Amino acid sequence: QVHLVETGGGLVQTGGSLRLSCAASGRTFGSLYMGWFRQAPGKEREFLASISWSGTSTRYAESVKDRFTVSRGNPENTAYLQIDGLKAEDTAVYYCAATPRTHVMMYSAESTYDYWGQGTQVTVAS
C-alpha cells in the first residue's frame, strides 16, 4: 500500500500563491506517476495536473495551465503543485493521487490512479 499526504493548503487572499506538497510512503514500487485534482463544493472532482516519475512529462488542464505548475521533489516519490494568482474559484479541496507506473496514457482520469491523499483545503478570500 501507498500512503499519500498533502500539505500546504490554507487561507490566502486573491492574487496570492500557495505551494502544495505531496509525500508518498509505504510501497512506492520504486516510482510513481502522480497527479493533482481538486473538488469544489457541489462540483465533481477536477483534474489539474500530472507528472511522470522522471519529471520530464507534465500535463495540465487547459483552465489552469497558465497559473499552476507541477514538479517532482527530492526524493522522487514527492510532488508539488505551485499555484499562483489565486482566484476565488480556486477554493476547493486539493488531492494528490498516484499510481505505481512509470507512465500513463489517460492522465486526467481518476480511474488511472490507485492511491489518493486525504486532501488539503485551499480557501481564497478577498
Side-chain angles (χ1 to χ4, degrees):
Q1 292 291 327
V2 174
H3 294 87
L4 304 177
V5 178
E6 305 100 330
T7 57
L11 177 64
V12 63
Q13 289 186 297
T14 298
S17 298
L18 284 175
R19 191 189 192 208
L20 308 182
S21 299
C22 176
S25 61
R27 294 184 63 192
T28 60
F29 305 96
S31 63
L32 293 170
Y33 187 95
M34 306 182 78
W36 287 94
F37 294 75
R38 70 182 178 189
Q39 187 166 26
K43 295 188 176 182
E44 296 183 359
R45 192 166 297 185
E46 173 190 19
F47 168 78
L48 299 172
S50 63
I51 188 166
S52 64
W53 68 271
S54 66
T56 59
S57 179
T58 59
R59 308 291 186 182
Y60 294 93
E62 188 68 24
S63 60
V64 303
K65 66 181 179 63
D66 293 335
R67 300 186 295 114
F68 287 37
T69 304
V70 64
S71 61
R72 300 300 299 236
N74 185 16
E76 291 181 333
N77 290 325
T78 60
Y80 302 98
L81 185 68
Q82 176 73 31
I83 310 174
D84 298 315
L86 281 159
K87 305 175 181 179
E89 51 264 43
D90 292 323
T91 295
V93 177
Y94 285 69
Y95 297 91
C96 176
T99 184
R101 298 166 60 184
T102 57
H103 188 65
V104 300
M105 183 175 296
M106 301 183 67
Y107 54 85
S108 64
E110 292 183 44
S111 60
T112 292
Y113 302 90
D114 302 292
Y115 308 100
W116 294 81
Q118 81 291 341
T120 185
Q121 177 71 46
V122 173
T123 302
V124 184
S126 299

